[in-house]
């Protein structure tokens, strides 16, 4: 059966639709690191989460996507890229590594989790006599059809689904396969819901939130409606439609919006005006101006509160 990759459907005019998979993967990394890393082929055994914010001597704040400290004190640095990896990205990752290594006196390996359709992302940067390398993990190389088949077979044999089985399902919308992304999300939600005893209620909600965020990223309004309609016809739908899907989708939107507010806030403190920030982030100037106005009106108001205000307008 010939494998194909679905066309990503996004509303380019809506700033919330940018890099949702990054946000989803960061959530997965935060709550399910022990299970997620082996699925990505990273063999280091992690002990706990490491800091992701470094302040250089120039008081420049550097926000990394995620850090783990392994059992041998090696730092595993994860960066999630939904677009093609560029030389500019590699320079940024190299700076992260150098600052982290110097600040904490540790060795660092950077893994770039790439969910774009680019088949051969660049992984090295040669400048002068130095060559910098990252380890690329391309999610499109993984087969969601095969994963679903393995999980279904395990379930049919009466074997309990482990936590790592459920975490692997969170990545299926970013993999390749013959099923549409909406269908993958529905199947993943069903597997996760009916294996809910495997994880804590908080972990279950976070798993759903990851899939809701990816649904909002990849599906247009019509497809979202179709997904909700299919879910509503199942036993799972009674739970999700009543207290989950709409709530999860709304929370996902607010979290994404808050991320943009946070970035705009940082750019604003550096003296950039609305047009410069909009150009740099590829956002509408009017949107940036609205965010900056709300920040100015209430400096102590949180990013999430400002995001909720914008969504409520």
């Amino acid at each position: 059966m010939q494998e194909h990759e679905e066309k990503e459907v996004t509303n380019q005019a809506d700033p919330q639709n940018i890099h949702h998979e990054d946000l989803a993967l960061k959530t997965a990394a935060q709550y399910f690191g022990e299970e997620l890393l082996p699925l990505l082929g990273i063999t280091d055994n992690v002990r706990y989460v490491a800091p992701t914010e470094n302040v250089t001597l120039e008081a420049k704040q550097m926000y990394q996507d995620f850090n783990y400290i392994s059992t041998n004190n090696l730092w595993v640095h994860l960066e999630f890229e939904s677009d093609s990896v560029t030389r500019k990205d590699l320079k940024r990752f190299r700076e992260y590594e150098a600052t982290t290594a110097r600040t904490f006196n540790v060795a660092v390996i950077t893994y770039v989790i790439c969910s774009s359709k680019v088949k051969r992302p660049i992984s090295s940067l040669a400048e002068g006599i130095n060559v910098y390398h990252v380890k690329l993990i391309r999610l499109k190389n993984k087969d969601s059809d095969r994963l679903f088949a393995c999980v279904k077979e395990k379930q049919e044999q009466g074997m309990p689904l482990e936590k790592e089985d459920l975490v692997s399902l969170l990545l299926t919308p970013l993999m390749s396969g013959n099923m549409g992304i909406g269908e993958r999300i529905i199947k993943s939600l069903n597997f996760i819901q009916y294996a809910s005893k495997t994880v804590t209620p908080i972990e279950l909600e976070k798993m759903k939130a990851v899939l809701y965020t990816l649904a909002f990223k990849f599906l247009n309004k019509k497809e979202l409606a179709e997904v909700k309609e299919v879910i509503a016809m199942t036993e799972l739908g009674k739970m999700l439609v009543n207290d989950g899907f709409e709530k999860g989708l709304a929370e996902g939107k607010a979290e994404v919006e808050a991320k943009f507010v946070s970035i705009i806030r940082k750019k604003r403190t550096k003296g950039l005006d609305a047009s410069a920030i909009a150009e740099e982030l590829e956002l509408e100037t009017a949107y940036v101006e609205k965010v900056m106005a709300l920040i100015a009106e209430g400096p102590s108001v949180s990013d999430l509160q400002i995001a909720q205000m914008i969504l409520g307008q």
Side-chain angles (χ1 to χ4, degrees):
M1 183 162 50
Q2 185 177 2
E3 176 180 278
H4 71 277
E5 298 176 356
E6 296 78 13
K7 179 181 179 182
E8 299 179 3
V9 181
T10 59
N11 182 358
Q12 298 298 329
D14 189 346
Q16 290 96 316
N17 272 338
I18 302 175
H19 301 326
H20 284 57
E21 58 264 49
D22 295 358
L23 178 65
L25 287 170
K26 289 174 189 176
T27 300
Q30 180 177 0
Y31 287 90
F32 312 110
E34 185 176 348
E35 294 78 22
L36 180 64
L37 295 191
L39 295 172
L40 296 172
I42 302 174
T43 58
D44 297 279
N45 295 318
V46 300
R47 288 190 296 165
Y48 45 83
V49 172
T52 57
E53 178 181 345
N54 295 320
V55 182
T56 70
L57 293 177
E58 297 82 11
K60 175 183 178 182
Q61 291 183 308
M62 304 168 65
Y63 291 91
Q64 303 168 62
D65 280 352
F66 222 85
N67 283 330
Y68 293 105
I69 298 176
S70 69
T71 51
N72 60 358
N73 288 324
L74 176 76
W75 280 40
V76 176
H77 170 213
L78 301 185
E79 286 291 329
F80 303 109
E81 287 295 322
S82 54
D83 298 322
S84 177
V85 179
T86 65
R87 286 177 56 85
K88 185 177 180 180
D89 290 327
L90 292 175
K91 289 183 178 183
R92 175 164 52 90
F93 302 155
R94 181 179 60 181
E95 187 176 5
Y96 290 162
E97 273 195 27
T99 303
T100 301
R102 183 179 68 247
T103 303
F104 298 99
N105 193 28
V106 293
V108 183
I109 296 179
T110 295
Y111 294 85
V112 180
I113 317 302
C114 184
S115 56
S116 75
K117 292 185 177 181
V118 177
K119 293 186 176 181
R120 292 182 178 84
I122 61 173
S123 60
S124 62
L125 175 69
E127 288 191 332
I129 63 173
N130 300 309
V131 180
Y132 170 68
H133 294 276
V134 299
K135 292 194 173 182
L136 278 174
I137 300 172
R138 185 174 180 269
L139 293 177
K140 288 295 183 185
N141 288 342
K142 297 181 179 293
D143 187 347
S144 62
D145 297 329
R146 184 177 301 173
L147 173 59
F148 281 126
C150 291
V151 173
K152 183 179 180 181
E153 181 180 3
K154 188 173 182 178
Q155 190 179 56
E156 289 176 344
Q157 291 177 352
M159 301 173 62
L161 296 181
E162 305 295 336
K163 187 175 178 180
E164 52 266 33
D165 296 320
L166 304 183
V167 173
S168 67
L169 294 170
L170 304 183
L171 303 177
T172 55
L174 303 173
M175 298 178 182
S176 59
N178 289 289
M179 278 185 279
I181 292 178
E183 186 179 355
R184 296 183 211 173
I185 290 173
I186 292 171
K187 290 180 73 71
S188 296
L189 284 169
N190 274 286
F191 279 126
I192 288 171
Q193 184 65 47
Y194 289 117
S196 59
K197 293 182 180 180
T198 303
V199 294
T200 66
I202 292 178
E203 289 173 330
L204 179 63
E205 289 304 313
K206 292 300 177 181
M207 288 182 175
K208 292 178 184 177
V210 169
L211 290 169
Y212 295 148
T213 303
L214 292 175
F216 184 64
K217 155 66 181 178
F218 287 110
L219 306 181
N220 58 32
K221 290 183 179 180
K222 180 180 178 182
E223 290 170 326
L224 277 173
E226 291 174 353
V227 169
K228 289 164 62 178
E229 183 178 352
V230 172
I231 291 176
M233 295 170 63
T234 66
E235 287 299 316
L236 169 62
K238 296 176 182 178
M239 292 175 279
L240 291 181
V241 172
N242 290 338
D243 63 6
F245 196 91
E246 292 291 353
K247 179 182 176 183
L249 195 57
E251 290 177 351
K253 289 181 181 179
E255 289 183 7
V256 172
E257 193 83 31
K259 187 71 174 177
F260 281 101
V261 173
S262 175
I263 295 172
I264 292 171
R265 188 190 295 272
K266 296 184 186 76
K267 300 290 183 183
R268 179 176 177 269
T269 60
K270 295 179 181 179
L272 275 66
D273 60 22
S275 60
I277 296 174
E279 182 177 358
E280 185 173 336
L281 300 180
E282 298 183 355
L283 297 173
E284 294 291 333
T285 302
Y287 169 79
V288 176
E289 289 175 343
K290 182 188 299 182
V291 173
M292 294 179 69
L294 291 172
I295 292 173
E297 290 174 6
S300 61
V301 178
S302 72
D303 297 336
L304 182 58
Q305 288 173 319
I306 291 177
Q308 290 169 338
M309 291 167 62
I310 292 173
L311 290 173
Q313 293 178 353

